[in-house]
Amino acid sequence: MAADAHSPLAQFEIKTIAELTPFGIDASFTNASLIMVVVVGLITLFIVAGMNKATIVPGRFQGMVEFFYEFIANLLQENTGPKGKQFFPLVFSLFMFILGANLIGLFGAFTFTSHIIVTFALAMLVITVVTFVGFARHGLHFTSYFVPQGAPMWLMPLMIPLEIISYLIRPISLSVRLFANMVAGHVMLTVIGGFVVGLGGLFFALGAIPLAAIPLIFALEVLVALLQAYVFAILTCIYLNDAIHLAH
């Protein structure tokens, strides 16, 4: 069911651009798909433009690209050590993709990170890679990760299922955190924007009050967009560290 056009949730409605149903499976190209392609294109253009004519003294774009590169490289080094370097492409791609998605949504484009299915898919990618790395590096010994170190044997029947559940909840917490923050922020901006129009129609001075708050909330949303991309990236690094350096 389509959302009411005046509802703050209308901005999150998925709209089909090109209907595709191969083998009866709905794989239609939607507004979310379009913005994903745009975000990937903009990130690629940003990196290529920044590094196409790299110089010893970096220009504006080169400096920005190098900043993000070093930021993620340091994040991996601090949280996973030298063995985590091979996962730089994964963490860097996730960080830039989520950051681009969060920021483009603040400028009127569809915010696909406001949909739980998208954030859950990204979180499942992370957990799948982490689990694969854990078993690839440690074999069946990776299952010892679910055995709390130092816990008495009589508590194991309770602790092991709890550890497994905690591990399986990771993609849910990772995806819900990003999804909820994006929805809440955009709804807040839309509601306050509605106050500006509604109150301004009654009396200009009343409309000026919420209007003055919009730049502050927008700045806060930019900070949240950066912070959520950072949180997703650092948790990915922490989960990878658990798989690389098995403590048990």
Side-chain angles (χ1 to χ4, degrees):
M1 182 182 294
D4 189 296
H6 299 291
S7 169
L9 299 178
Q11 60 185 307
F12 306 119
E13 183 181 353
I14 296 286
K15 298 178 181 178
T16 300
I17 297 175
E19 189 172 346
L20 301 171
T21 55
F23 307 107
I25 301 172
D26 187 1
S28 299
F29 191 77
T30 65
N31 51 346
S33 309
L34 175 62
I35 300 303
M36 287 183 192
V37 173
V38 170
V39 167
V40 172
L42 288 175
I43 293 171
T44 303
L45 184 63
F46 169 67
I47 294 173
V48 171
M51 302 307 295
N52 188 37
K53 295 180 179 179
T55 58
I56 296 177
V57 180
R60 182 179 302 175
F61 277 111
Q62 183 183 338
M64 292 175 66
V65 173
E66 289 181 357
F67 168 79
F68 285 119
Y69 180 96
E70 291 175 4
F71 177 74
I72 297 300
N74 291 335
L75 202 64
L76 268 168
Q77 175 65 31
E78 291 169 4
N79 291 279
T80 63
K83 292 183 179 179
K85 288 183 179 179
Q86 60 185 303
F87 300 104
F88 175 84
L90 171 66
V91 180
F92 183 78
S93 298
L94 283 170
F95 175 79
M96 295 300 293
F97 184 67
I98 294 171
L99 179 60
N102 293 348
L103 290 177
I104 199 172
L106 293 174
F107 295 93
F110 183 84
T111 311
F112 55 82
T113 45
S114 65
H115 280 258
I116 188 68
I117 188 63
V118 175
T119 59
F120 185 73
L122 294 173
M124 281 302 300
L125 170 65
V126 171
I127 299 304
T128 300
V129 170
V130 167
T131 305
F132 177 81
V133 169
F135 280 107
R137 286 181 175 269
H138 308 286
L140 290 177
H141 183 60
F142 182 63
T143 57
S144 67
Y145 178 80
F146 306 108
V147 181
Q149 199 169 24
M153 288 301 297
W154 62 272
L155 267 180
M156 290 303 177
L158 175 63
M159 297 298 293
I160 291 175
L162 288 176
E163 288 290 330
I164 294 173
I165 293 171
S166 176
Y167 187 84
L168 295 177
I169 284 176
R170 282 180 172 182
I172 298 175
S173 61
L174 199 59
S175 57
V176 169
R177 182 185 296 106
L178 175 57
F179 145 78
N181 277 278
M182 291 302 102
V183 170
H186 283 70
V187 167
M188 185 186 300
L189 281 172
T190 303
V191 169
I192 292 178
F195 285 158
V196 172
V197 175
L199 294 175
L202 297 173
F203 188 65
F204 176 77
L206 292 176
I209 297 172
L211 180 62
I214 287 181
L216 297 176
I217 296 174
F218 185 84
L220 177 63
E221 283 306 299
V222 171
L223 179 62
V224 169
L226 291 164
L227 184 61
Q228 288 306 310
Y230 167 75
V231 169
F232 203 99
I234 195 169
L235 287 177
T236 300
C237 292
I238 291 171
Y239 296 157
L240 283 169
N241 181 63
D242 291 342
I244 296 170
H245 306 103
L246 192 61
H248 296 73

